[in-house]
Amino acid sequence: MSTREQWKRHTEEVLGELGIAEGHSVLDCCCGSGIYTAAAATLVGEAGLVYAIDKNNEKLSELRQKADSNGLQNIKIMERDVELKIPLPDSAVDFVLLYDIFWYFRPQENKMENLLKEIQRVAKPDALISVYPTHVDSNRLEQFKNEMKNNGFVLVSEYSRQLVHEENLERGKLLNYRKEKNYQIKMLEEKIADLKNRLPIHSVPPSMIQELEELEDELERIKKEK
């Protein structure tokens, strides 16, 4: 078995353990050349979709070639700076991969704070956010964990295993988070209050009524799950 075949099998195994499967939507944030993007696309199949976002055009070109050569048509590649905004609607994805991002997004910097707020926005209420921390010492990692907590994420598992990093197989750590329900309730209540304040006195647009009803339904559903 070639090295690339070993990486493919290994990355699919890693993501399969997270629960990524047929029909899921996945965001690979700062995906680079997409070794985990390709694995996610294989697992979610034709019924699923993987959003691969990075600002490095050269790396994304490598990913396009990889997708074409493997017949992966369920990858949506976006060349964007996610520090500013993730170009996805609210509650869009089942899984978020934050793998090997600390070389650019440093804990306790404003751009990390902005990124986590965007992740909170685009992740579905029951989404899993998986973090592979590299290029970071233990103190910085603890700072990151505190940032995740402050942004409404709860750590559900932490473990070490063999992972692919920079075209090498090495021992690494995975941190897996879910959105904290009380934080979701607070955010939804703020959205509902803001929308109600913006409702015109007369001739309320049907789109605003629909948005309000959807937000209230989601809030009710999350409260019932608690």
Side-chain angles (χ1 to χ4, degrees), residues 172-209:
K173 179 181 290 187
L174 285 183
L175 310 175
N176 298 317
Y177 291 85
R178 290 199 184 275
K179 295 172 75 170
E180 203 275 316
K181 284 190 171 62
N182 286 335
Y183 187 88
Q184 295 176 54
I185 289 172
K186 177 184 175 183
M187 293 296 101
L188 280 170
E189 288 176 341
E190 289 180 359
K191 282 185 178 181
I192 290 170
D194 176 67
L195 182 57
K196 286 181 176 179
N197 287 335
R198 290 188 287 110
L199 289 175
I201 298 175
H202 304 291
S203 302
V204 180
S207 61
M208 294 187 75
I209 295 175

PDB file of all heavy atoms in Angstrom, residues 172-209:
ATOM      1  N   GLY A 172      -0.971  12.654  17.835  1.00  0.00           N
ATOM      2  CA  GLY A 172      -1.558  13.957  18.100  1.00  0.00           C
ATOM      3  C   GLY A 172      -2.783  13.831  18.985  1.00  0.00           C
ATOM      4  O   GLY A 172      -3.163  12.736  19.401  1.00  0.00           O
ATOM      5  N   LYS A 173      -3.384  14.963  19.270  1.00  0.00           N
ATOM      6  CA  LYS A 173      -4.539  15.012  20.173  1.00  0.00           C
ATOM      7  C   LYS A 173      -5.745  15.584  19.439  1.00  0.00           C
ATOM      8  O   LYS A 173      -5.610  16.507  18.629  1.00  0.00           O
ATOM      9  CB  LYS A 173      -4.211  15.884  21.381  1.00  0.00           C
ATOM     10  CG  LYS A 173      -5.343  16.027  22.397  1.00  0.00           C
ATOM     11  CD  LYS A 173      -4.936  16.919  23.559  1.00  0.00           C
ATOM     12  CE  LYS A 173      -3.900  16.240  24.432  1.00  0.00           C
ATOM     13  NZ  LYS A 173      -3.613  17.039  25.660  1.00  0.00           N
ATOM     14  N   LEU A 174      -6.915  15.022  19.710  1.00  0.00           N
ATOM     15  CA  LEU A 174      -8.169  15.570  19.199  1.00  0.00           C
ATOM     16  C   LEU A 174      -9.021  16.070  20.357  1.00  0.00           C
ATOM     17  O   LEU A 174      -9.149  15.391  21.383  1.00  0.00           O
ATOM     18  CB  LEU A 174      -8.944  14.522  18.409  1.00  0.00           C
ATOM     19  CG  LEU A 174      -8.448  14.176  17.003  1.00  0.00           C
ATOM     20  CD1 LEU A 174      -9.389  13.180  16.342  1.00  0.00           C
ATOM     21  CD2 LEU A 174      -8.295  15.411  16.134  1.00  0.00           C
ATOM     22  N   LEU A 175      -9.578  17.264  20.188  1.00  0.00           N
ATOM     23  CA  LEU A 175     -10.530  17.837  21.134  1.00  0.00           C
ATOM     24  C   LEU A 175     -11.861  17.967  20.408  1.00  0.00           C
ATOM     25  O   LEU A 175     -11.930  18.621  19.366  1.00  0.00           O
ATOM     26  CB  LEU A 175     -10.076  19.221  21.599  1.00  0.00           C
ATOM     27  CG  LEU A 175      -8.637  19.379  22.103  1.00  0.00           C
ATOM     28  CD1 LEU A 175      -8.345  20.833  22.399  1.00  0.00           C
ATOM     29  CD2 LEU A 175      -8.408  18.527  23.327  1.00  0.00           C
ATOM     30  N   ASN A 176     -12.901  17.363  20.937  1.00  0.00           N
ATOM     31  CA  ASN A 176     -14.201  17.390  20.277  1.00  0.00           C
ATOM     32  C   ASN A 176     -15.217  18.119  21.156  1.00  0.00           C
ATOM     33  O   ASN A 176     -15.366  17.816  22.343  1.00  0.00           O
ATOM     34  CB  ASN A 176     -14.677  15.972  19.978  1.00  0.00           C
ATOM     35  CG  ASN A 176     -13.740  15.259  19.024  1.00  0.00           C
ATOM     36  OD1 ASN A 176     -13.290  15.832  18.042  1.00  0.00           O
ATOM     37  ND2 ASN A 176     -13.426  14.008  19.303  1.00  0.00           N
ATOM     38  N   TYR A 177     -15.902  19.071  20.534  1.00  0.00           N
ATOM     39  CA  TYR A 177     -16.823  19.954  21.248  1.00  0.00           C
ATOM     40  C   TYR A 177     -18.235  19.885  20.655  1.00  0.00           C
ATOM     41  O   TYR A 177     -18.411  19.561  19.484  1.00  0.00           O
ATOM     42  CB  TYR A 177     -16.353  21.408  21.146  1.00  0.00           C
ATOM     43  CG  TYR A 177     -15.098  21.735  21.902  1.00  0.00           C
ATOM     44  CD1 TYR A 177     -13.844  21.506  21.335  1.00  0.00           C
ATOM     45  CD2 TYR A 177     -15.149  22.296  23.177  1.00  0.00           C
ATOM     46  CE1 TYR A 177     -12.681  21.825  22.028  1.00  0.00           C
ATOM     47  CE2 TYR A 177     -14.000  22.618  23.864  1.00  0.00           C
ATOM     48  CZ  TYR A 177     -12.771  22.379  23.291  1.00  0.00           C
ATOM     49  OH  TYR A 177     -11.608  22.688  23.972  1.00  0.00           O
ATOM     50  N   ARG A 178     -19.197  20.236  21.483  1.00  0.00           N
ATOM     51  CA  ARG A 178     -20.556  20.495  20.999  1.00  0.00           C
ATOM     52  C   ARG A 178     -21.002  21.855  21.512  1.00  0.00           C
ATOM     53  O   ARG A 178     -20.439  22.397  22.462  1.00  0.00           O
ATOM     54  CB  ARG A 178     -21.525  19.403  21.463  1.00  0.00           C
ATOM     55  CG  ARG A 178     -21.275  18.059  20.778  1.00  0.00           C
ATOM     56  CD  ARG A 178     -22.470  17.142  20.867  1.00  0.00           C
ATOM     57  NE  ARG A 178     -22.185  15.845  20.298  1.00  0.00           N
ATOM     58  CZ  ARG A 178     -22.292  15.542  19.009  1.00  0.00           C
ATOM     59  NH1 ARG A 178     -22.691  16.479  18.156  1.00  0.00           N
ATOM     60  NH2 ARG A 178     -22.022  14.335  18.567  1.00  0.00           N
ATOM     61  N   LYS A 179     -22.015  22.401  20.862  1.00  0.00           N
ATOM     62  CA  LYS A 179     -22.543  23.691  21.275  1.00  0.00           C
ATOM     63  C   LYS A 179     -23.283  23.534  22.603  1.00  0.00           C
ATOM     64  O   LYS A 179     -24.064  22.606  22.786  1.00  0.00           O
ATOM     65  CB  LYS A 179     -23.476  24.255  20.202  1.00  0.00           C
ATOM     66  CG  LYS A 179     -22.758  24.575  18.901  1.00  0.00           C
ATOM     67  CD  LYS A 179     -23.712  24.942  17.786  1.00  0.00           C
ATOM     68  CE  LYS A 179     -24.257  26.317  17.950  1.00  0.00           C
ATOM     69  NZ  LYS A 179     -25.007  26.770  16.741  1.00  0.00           N
ATOM     70  N   GLU A 180     -23.031  24.454  23.511  1.00  0.00           N
ATOM     71  CA  GLU A 180     -23.655  24.403  24.830  1.00  0.00           C
ATOM     72  C   GLU A 180     -25.074  24.957  24.728  1.00  0.00           C
ATOM     73  O   GLU A 180     -25.292  26.064  24.240  1.00  0.00           O
ATOM     74  CB  GLU A 180     -22.817  25.228  25.813  1.00  0.00           C
ATOM     75  CG  GLU A 180     -23.002  24.853  27.261  1.00  0.00           C
ATOM     76  CD  GLU A 180     -24.191  25.548  27.863  1.00  0.00           C
ATOM     77  OE1 GLU A 180     -24.361  26.747  27.625  1.00  0.00           O
ATOM     78  OE2 GLU A 180     -24.971  24.877  28.556  1.00  0.00           O
ATOM     79  N   LYS A 181     -26.055  24.173  25.188  1.00  0.00           N
ATOM     80  CA  LYS A 181     -27.452  24.515  24.931  1.00  0.00           C
ATOM     81  C   LYS A 181     -27.869  25.846  25.553  1.00  0.00           C
ATOM     82  O   LYS A 181     -28.616  26.609  24.949  1.00  0.00           O
ATOM     83  CB  LYS A 181     -28.360  23.388  25.408  1.00  0.00           C
ATOM     84  CG  LYS A 181     -28.372  22.174  24.496  1.00  0.00           C
ATOM     85  CD  LYS A 181     -29.460  21.206  24.900  1.00  0.00           C
ATOM     86  CE  LYS A 181     -29.624  20.099  23.862  1.00  0.00           C
ATOM     87  NZ  LYS A 181     -28.440  19.281  23.697  1.00  0.00           N
ATOM     88  N   ASN A 182     -27.425  26.156  26.769  1.00  0.00           N
ATOM     89  CA  ASN A 182     -27.817  27.425  27.372  1.00  0.00           C
ATOM     90  C   ASN A 182     -27.304  28.609  26.553  1.00  0.00           C
ATOM     91  O   ASN A 182     -27.970  29.642  26.455  1.00  0.00           O
ATOM     92  CB  ASN A 182     -27.282  27.525  28.810  1.00  0.00           C
ATOM     93  CG  ASN A 182     -28.064  26.634  29.762  1.00  0.00           C
ATOM     94  OD1 ASN A 182     -29.214  26.317  29.513  1.00  0.00           O
ATOM     95  ND2 ASN A 182     -27.423  26.229  30.846  1.00  0.00           N
ATOM     96  N   TYR A 183     -26.128  28.445  25.968  1.00  0.00           N
ATOM     97  CA  TYR A 183     -25.575  29.501  25.120  1.00  0.00           C
ATOM     98  C   TYR A 183     -26.429  29.643  23.865  1.00  0.00           C
ATOM     99  O   TYR A 183     -26.718  30.764  23.436  1.00  0.00           O
ATOM    100  CB  TYR A 183     -24.136  29.150  24.746  1.00  0.00           C
ATOM    101  CG  TYR A 183     -23.404  30.249  24.006  1.00  0.00           C
ATOM    102  CD1 TYR A 183     -22.711  31.230  24.695  1.00  0.00           C
ATOM    103  CD2 TYR A 183     -23.412  30.304  22.610  1.00  0.00           C
ATOM    104  CE1 TYR A 183     -22.026  32.241  24.021  1.00  0.00           C
ATOM    105  CE2 TYR A 183     -22.731  31.311  21.934  1.00  0.00           C
ATOM    106  CZ  TYR A 183     -22.046  32.271  22.642  1.00  0.00           C
ATOM    107  OH  TYR A 183     -21.385  33.269  21.961  1.00  0.00           O
ATOM    108  N   GLN A 184     -26.856  28.515  23.303  1.00  0.00           N
ATOM    109  CA  GLN A 184     -27.716  28.565  22.116  1.00  0.00           C
ATOM    110  C   GLN A 184     -29.024  29.277  22.428  1.00  0.00           C
ATOM    111  O   GLN A 184     -29.510  30.085  21.621  1.00  0.00           O
ATOM    112  CB  GLN A 184     -28.013  27.145  21.636  1.00  0.00           C
ATOM    113  CG  GLN A 184     -26.796  26.381  21.131  1.00  0.00           C
ATOM    114  CD  GLN A 184     -27.174  24.964  20.761  1.00  0.00           C
ATOM    115  OE1 GLN A 184     -28.087  24.736  19.983  1.00  0.00           O
ATOM    116  NE2 GLN A 184     -26.462  24.005  21.309  1.00  0.00           N
ATOM    117  N   ILE A 185     -29.603  28.977  23.595  1.00  0.00           N
ATOM    118  CA  ILE A 185     -30.856  29.608  23.989  1.00  0.00           C
ATOM    119  C   ILE A 185     -30.679  31.120  24.106  1.00  0.00           C
ATOM    120  O   ILE A 185     -31.500  31.907  23.605  1.00  0.00           O
ATOM    121  CB  ILE A 185     -31.357  29.010  25.319  1.00  0.00           C
ATOM    122  CG1 ILE A 185     -31.838  27.574  25.083  1.00  0.00           C
ATOM    123  CG2 ILE A 185     -32.480  29.857  25.923  1.00  0.00           C
ATOM    124  CD1 ILE A 185     -32.168  26.819  26.352  1.00  0.00           C
ATOM    125  N   LYS A 186     -29.578  31.529  24.726  1.00  0.00           N
ATOM    126  CA  LYS A 186     -29.306  32.956  24.878  1.00  0.00           C
ATOM    127  C   LYS A 186     -29.177  33.642  23.517  1.00  0.00           C
ATOM    128  O   LYS A 186     -29.756  34.715  23.290  1.00  0.00           O
ATOM    129  CB  LYS A 186     -28.012  33.145  25.680  1.00  0.00           C
ATOM    130  CG  LYS A 186     -27.602  34.598  25.844  1.00  0.00           C
ATOM    131  CD  LYS A 186     -26.261  34.699  26.562  1.00  0.00           C
ATOM    132  CE  LYS A 186     -25.781  36.150  26.609  1.00  0.00           C
ATOM    133  NZ  LYS A 186     -24.447  36.271  27.243  1.00  0.00           N
ATOM    134  N   MET A 187     -28.435  33.021  22.592  1.00  0.00           N
ATOM    135  CA  MET A 187     -28.242  33.605  21.275  1.00  0.00           C
ATOM    136  C   MET A 187     -29.561  33.692  20.501  1.00  0.00           C
ATOM    137  O   MET A 187     -29.838  34.697  19.829  1.00  0.00           O
ATOM    138  CB  MET A 187     -27.218  32.788  20.476  1.00  0.00           C
ATOM    139  CG  MET A 187     -25.793  32.837  21.011  1.00  0.00           C
ATOM    140  SD  MET A 187     -25.046  34.499  20.961  1.00  0.00           S
ATOM    141  CE  MET A 187     -25.247  35.000  22.683  1.00  0.00           C
ATOM    142  N   LEU A 188     -30.376  32.635  20.591  1.00  0.00           N
ATOM    143  CA  LEU A 188     -31.658  32.642  19.883  1.00  0.00           C
ATOM    144  C   LEU A 188     -32.597  33.695  20.459  1.00  0.00           C
ATOM    145  O   LEU A 188     -33.292  34.391  19.705  1.00  0.00           O
ATOM    146  CB  LEU A 188     -32.308  31.257  19.967  1.00  0.00           C
ATOM    147  CG  LEU A 188     -31.766  30.208  18.994  1.00  0.00           C
ATOM    148  CD1 LEU A 188     -32.310  28.829  19.355  1.00  0.00           C
ATOM    149  CD2 LEU A 188     -32.125  30.552  17.556  1.00  0.00           C
ATOM    150  N   GLU A 189     -32.618  33.822  21.768  1.00  0.00           N
ATOM    151  CA  GLU A 189     -33.476  34.834  22.389  1.00  0.00           C
ATOM    152  C   GLU A 189     -33.049  36.236  21.964  1.00  0.00           C
ATOM    153  O   GLU A 189     -33.903  37.106  21.723  1.00  0.00           O
ATOM    154  CB  GLU A 189     -33.417  34.695  23.912  1.00  0.00           C
ATOM    155  CG  GLU A 189     -34.153  33.469  24.425  1.00  0.00           C
ATOM    156  CD  GLU A 189     -34.018  33.256  25.916  1.00  0.00           C
ATOM    157  OE1 GLU A 189     -33.079  33.833  26.515  1.00  0.00           O
ATOM    158  OE2 GLU A 189     -34.842  32.517  26.490  1.00  0.00           O
ATOM    159  N   GLU A 190     -31.744  36.457  21.834  1.00  0.00           N
ATOM    160  CA  GLU A 190     -31.258  37.763  21.376  1.00  0.00           C
ATOM    161  C   GLU A 190     -31.638  38.005  19.916  1.00  0.00           C
ATOM    162  O   GLU A 190     -32.005  39.123  19.539  1.00  0.00           O
ATOM    163  CB  GLU A 190     -29.744  37.845  21.558  1.00  0.00           C
ATOM    164  CG  GLU A 190     -29.306  37.948  23.017  1.00  0.00           C
ATOM    165  CD  GLU A 190     -27.799  38.039  23.176  1.00  0.00           C
ATOM    166  OE1 GLU A 190     -27.087  37.996  22.143  1.00  0.00           O
ATOM    167  OE2 GLU A 190     -27.331  38.150  24.320  1.00  0.00           O
ATOM    168  N   LYS A 191     -31.548  36.956  19.074  1.00  0.00           N
ATOM    169  CA  LYS A 191     -31.938  37.097  17.669  1.00  0.00           C
ATOM    170  C   LYS A 191     -33.419  37.419  17.545  1.00  0.00           C
ATOM    171  O   LYS A 191     -33.823  38.265  16.734  1.00  0.00           O
ATOM    172  CB  LYS A 191     -31.624  35.807  16.904  1.00  0.00           C
ATOM    173  CG  LYS A 191     -30.172  35.620  16.539  1.00  0.00           C
ATOM    174  CD  LYS A 191     -30.010  34.375  15.679  1.00  0.00           C
ATOM    175  CE  LYS A 191     -28.578  34.178  15.247  1.00  0.00           C
ATOM    176  NZ  LYS A 191     -28.421  32.973  14.383  1.00  0.00           N
ATOM    177  N   ILE A 192     -34.239  36.720  18.333  1.00  0.00           N
ATOM    178  CA  ILE A 192     -35.689  36.943  18.288  1.00  0.00           C
ATOM    179  C   ILE A 192     -36.021  38.364  18.731  1.00  0.00           C
ATOM    180  O   ILE A 192     -36.843  39.059  18.100  1.00  0.00           O
ATOM    181  CB  ILE A 192     -36.417  35.898  19.169  1.00  0.00           C
ATOM    182  CG1 ILE A 192     -36.318  34.514  18.509  1.00  0.00           C
ATOM    183  CG2 ILE A 192     -37.867  36.294  19.393  1.00  0.00           C
ATOM    184  CD1 ILE A 192     -36.776  33.382  19.400  1.00  0.00           C
ATOM    185  N   ALA A 193     -35.384  38.821  19.819  1.00  0.00           N
ATOM    186  CA  ALA A 193     -35.634  40.179  20.315  1.00  0.00           C
ATOM    187  C   ALA A 193     -35.221  41.221  19.276  1.00  0.00           C
ATOM    188  O   ALA A 193     -35.940  42.206  19.048  1.00  0.00           O
ATOM    189  CB  ALA A 193     -34.881  40.395  21.627  1.00  0.00           C
ATOM    190  N   ASP A 194     -34.080  41.000  18.639  1.00  0.00           N
ATOM    191  CA  ASP A 194     -33.602  41.935  17.621  1.00  0.00           C
ATOM    192  C   ASP A 194     -34.546  41.988  16.432  1.00  0.00           C
ATOM    193  O   ASP A 194     -34.863  43.065  15.912  1.00  0.00           O
ATOM    194  CB  ASP A 194     -32.200  41.524  17.163  1.00  0.00           C
ATOM    195  CG  ASP A 194     -31.686  42.410  16.032  1.00  0.00           C
ATOM    196  OD1 ASP A 194     -31.440  43.603  16.279  1.00  0.00           O
ATOM    197  OD2 ASP A 194     -31.540  41.894  14.903  1.00  0.00           O
ATOM    198  N   LEU A 195     -35.019  40.797  16.008  1.00  0.00           N
ATOM    199  CA  LEU A 195     -35.932  40.751  14.857  1.00  0.00           C
ATOM    200  C   LEU A 195     -37.251  41.436  15.189  1.00  0.00           C
ATOM    201  O   LEU A 195     -37.797  42.182  14.359  1.00  0.00           O
ATOM    202  CB  LEU A 195     -36.174  39.295  14.455  1.00  0.00           C
ATOM    203  CG  LEU A 195     -37.066  39.066  13.224  1.00  0.00           C
ATOM    204  CD1 LEU A 195     -36.491  39.779  12.007  1.00  0.00           C
ATOM    205  CD2 LEU A 195     -37.194  37.578  12.939  1.00  0.00           C
ATOM    206  N   LYS A 196     -37.760  41.226  16.391  1.00  0.00           N
ATOM    207  CA  LYS A 196     -39.017  41.867  16.791  1.00  0.00           C
ATOM    208  C   LYS A 196     -38.875  43.384  16.817  1.00  0.00           C
ATOM    209  O   LYS A 196     -39.808  44.117  16.451  1.00  0.00           O
ATOM    210  CB  LYS A 196     -39.467  41.343  18.155  1.00  0.00           C
ATOM    211  CG  LYS A 196     -40.018  39.925  18.114  1.00  0.00           C
ATOM    212  CD  LYS A 196     -40.483  39.472  19.491  1.00  0.00           C
ATOM    213  CE  LYS A 196     -41.123  38.086  19.420  1.00  0.00           C
ATOM    214  NZ  LYS A 196     -41.566  37.597  20.748  1.00  0.00           N
ATOM    215  N   ASN A 197     -37.696  43.852  17.239  1.00  0.00           N
ATOM    216  CA  ASN A 197     -37.462  45.307  17.270  1.00  0.00           C
ATOM    217  C   ASN A 197     -37.420  45.896  15.867  1.00  0.00           C
ATOM    218  O   ASN A 197     -37.695  47.082  15.681  1.00  0.00           O
ATOM    219  CB  ASN A 197     -36.146  45.611  17.996  1.00  0.00           C
ATOM    220  CG  ASN A 197     -36.243  45.398  19.496  1.00  0.00           C
ATOM    221  OD1 ASN A 197     -37.328  45.481  20.073  1.00  0.00           O
ATOM    222  ND2 ASN A 197     -35.112  45.131  20.136  1.00  0.00           N
ATOM    223  N   ARG A 198     -37.066  45.068  14.891  1.00  0.00           N
ATOM    224  CA  ARG A 198     -36.949  45.547  13.511  1.00  0.00           C
ATOM    225  C   ARG A 198     -38.235  45.384  12.705  1.00  0.00           C
ATOM    226  O   ARG A 198     -38.304  45.823  11.557  1.00  0.00           O
ATOM    227  CB  ARG A 198     -35.803  44.812  12.803  1.00  0.00           C
ATOM    228  CG  ARG A 198     -34.430  45.203  13.328  1.00  0.00           C
ATOM    229  CD  ARG A 198     -33.301  44.622  12.488  1.00  0.00           C
ATOM    230  NE  ARG A 198     -33.136  43.186  12.675  1.00  0.00           N
ATOM    231  CZ  ARG A 198     -33.411  42.265  11.782  1.00  0.00           C
ATOM    232  NH1 ARG A 198     -33.899  42.629  10.589  1.00  0.00           N
ATOM    233  NH2 ARG A 198     -33.224  40.985  12.036  1.00  0.00           N
ATOM    234  N   LEU A 199     -39.246  44.739  13.293  1.00  0.00           N
ATOM    235  CA  LEU A 199     -40.506  44.540  12.569  1.00  0.00           C
ATOM    236  C   LEU A 199     -41.200  45.880  12.346  1.00  0.00           C
ATOM    237  O   LEU A 199     -41.379  46.667  13.279  1.00  0.00           O
ATOM    238  CB  LEU A 199     -41.426  43.610  13.360  1.00  0.00           C
ATOM    239  CG  LEU A 199     -41.051  42.129  13.449  1.00  0.00           C
ATOM    240  CD1 LEU A 199     -42.018  41.393  14.366  1.00  0.00           C
ATOM    241  CD2 LEU A 199     -41.041  41.487  12.065  1.00  0.00           C
ATOM    242  N   PRO A 200     -41.583  46.163  11.131  1.00  0.00           N
ATOM    243  CA  PRO A 200     -42.328  47.412  10.882  1.00  0.00           C
ATOM    244  C   PRO A 200     -43.715  47.348  11.520  1.00  0.00           C
ATOM    245  O   PRO A 200     -44.276  46.261  11.727  1.00  0.00           O
ATOM    246  CB  PRO A 200     -42.408  47.466   9.352  1.00  0.00           C
ATOM    247  CG  PRO A 200     -42.239  46.049   8.903  1.00  0.00           C
ATOM    248  CD  PRO A 200     -41.359  45.386   9.918  1.00  0.00           C
ATOM    249  N   ILE A 201     -44.252  48.512  11.832  1.00  0.00           N
ATOM    250  CA  ILE A 201     -45.573  48.562  12.473  1.00  0.00           C
ATOM    251  C   ILE A 201     -46.656  48.068  11.519  1.00  0.00           C
ATOM    252  O   ILE A 201     -47.590  47.365  11.911  1.00  0.00           O
ATOM    253  CB  ILE A 201     -45.878  50.000  12.944  1.00  0.00           C
ATOM    254  CG1 ILE A 201     -44.853  50.434  13.992  1.00  0.00           C
ATOM    255  CG2 ILE A 201     -47.290  50.095  13.518  1.00  0.00           C
ATOM    256  CD1 ILE A 201     -44.998  51.878  14.433  1.00  0.00           C
ATOM    257  N   HIS A 202     -46.514  48.418  10.266  1.00  0.00           N
ATOM    258  CA  HIS A 202     -47.512  48.015   9.271  1.00  0.00           C
ATOM    259  C   HIS A 202     -46.849  47.191   8.176  1.00  0.00           C
ATOM    260  O   HIS A 202     -45.660  47.349   7.885  1.00  0.00           O
ATOM    261  CB  HIS A 202     -48.181  49.252   8.652  1.00  0.00           C
ATOM    262  CG  HIS A 202     -48.807  50.175   9.650  1.00  0.00           C
ATOM    263  ND1 HIS A 202     -49.929  49.835  10.373  1.00  0.00           N
ATOM    264  CD2 HIS A 202     -48.446  51.421  10.063  1.00  0.00           C
ATOM    265  CE1 HIS A 202     -50.260  50.827  11.177  1.00  0.00           C
ATOM    266  NE2 HIS A 202     -49.369  51.808  11.014  1.00  0.00           N
ATOM    267  N   SER A 203     -47.618  46.327   7.570  1.00  0.00           N
ATOM    268  CA  SER A 203     -47.176  45.546   6.407  1.00  0.00           C
ATOM    269  C   SER A 203     -45.869  44.798   6.672  1.00  0.00           C
ATOM    270  O   SER A 203     -44.829  45.054   6.055  1.00  0.00           O
ATOM    271  CB  SER A 203     -47.002  46.464   5.173  1.00  0.00           C
ATOM    272  OG  SER A 203     -48.194  47.129   4.876  1.00  0.00           O
ATOM    273  N   VAL A 204     -45.937  43.885   7.617  1.00  0.00           N
ATOM    274  CA  VAL A 204     -44.759  43.083   7.938  1.00  0.00           C
ATOM    275  C   VAL A 204     -44.492  42.113   6.787  1.00  0.00           C
ATOM    276  O   VAL A 204     -45.372  41.359   6.371  1.00  0.00           O
ATOM    277  CB  VAL A 204     -44.971  42.277   9.235  1.00  0.00           C
ATOM    278  CG1 VAL A 204     -43.731  41.439   9.547  1.00  0.00           C
ATOM    279  CG2 VAL A 204     -45.279  43.217  10.386  1.00  0.00           C
ATOM    280  N   PRO A 205     -43.286  42.109   6.234  1.00  0.00           N
ATOM    281  CA  PRO A 205     -42.972  41.206   5.116  1.00  0.00           C
ATOM    282  C   PRO A 205     -43.117  39.742   5.524  1.00  0.00           C
ATOM    283  O   PRO A 205     -42.718  39.365   6.637  1.00  0.00           O
ATOM    284  CB  PRO A 205     -41.503  41.536   4.799  1.00  0.00           C
ATOM    285  CG  PRO A 205     -41.280  42.891   5.371  1.00  0.00           C
ATOM    286  CD  PRO A 205     -42.153  42.976   6.580  1.00  0.00           C
ATOM    287  N   PRO A 206     -43.696  38.913   4.667  1.00  0.00           N
ATOM    288  CA  PRO A 206     -43.844  37.484   4.979  1.00  0.00           C
ATOM    289  C   PRO A 206     -42.508  36.818   5.326  1.00  0.00           C
ATOM    290  O   PRO A 206     -42.473  35.900   6.152  1.00  0.00           O
ATOM    291  CB  PRO A 206     -44.435  36.905   3.690  1.00  0.00           C
ATOM    292  CG  PRO A 206     -45.127  38.063   3.040  1.00  0.00           C
ATOM    293  CD  PRO A 206     -44.309  39.261   3.375  1.00  0.00           C
ATOM    294  N   SER A 207     -41.425  37.261   4.706  1.00  0.00           N
ATOM    295  CA  SER A 207     -40.118  36.661   4.980  1.00  0.00           C
ATOM    296  C   SER A 207     -39.697  36.868   6.432  1.00  0.00           C
ATOM    297  O   SER A 207     -39.095  35.991   7.048  1.00  0.00           O
ATOM    298  CB  SER A 207     -39.055  37.244   4.047  1.00  0.00           C
ATOM    299  OG  SER A 207     -38.935  38.646   4.229  1.00  0.00           O
ATOM    300  N   MET A 208     -40.033  38.036   6.989  1.00  0.00           N
ATOM    301  CA  MET A 208     -39.692  38.312   8.385  1.00  0.00           C
ATOM    302  C   MET A 208     -40.557  37.488   9.325  1.00  0.00           C
ATOM    303  O   MET A 208     -40.083  36.998  10.357  1.00  0.00           O
ATOM    304  CB  MET A 208     -39.837  39.806   8.691  1.00  0.00           C
ATOM    305  CG  MET A 208     -38.846  40.691   7.955  1.00  0.00           C
ATOM    306  SD  MET A 208     -38.895  42.435   8.483  1.00  0.00           S
ATOM    307  CE  MET A 208     -38.050  42.325  10.069  1.00  0.00           C
ATOM    308  N   ILE A 209     -41.809  37.320   8.969  1.00  0.00           N
ATOM    309  CA  ILE A 209     -42.710  36.493   9.779  1.00  0.00           C
ATOM    310  C   ILE A 209     -42.211  35.048   9.789  1.00  0.00           C
ATOM    311  O   ILE A 209     -42.157  34.394  10.843  1.00  0.00           O
ATOM    312  CB  ILE A 209     -44.152  36.562   9.240  1.00  0.00           C
ATOM    313  CG1 ILE A 209     -44.708  37.979   9.386  1.00  0.00           C
ATOM    314  CG2 ILE A 209     -45.043  35.548   9.964  1.00  0.00           C
ATOM    315  CD1 ILE A 209     -46.076  38.173   8.766  1.00  0.00           C
TER     316      ILE A 209
END
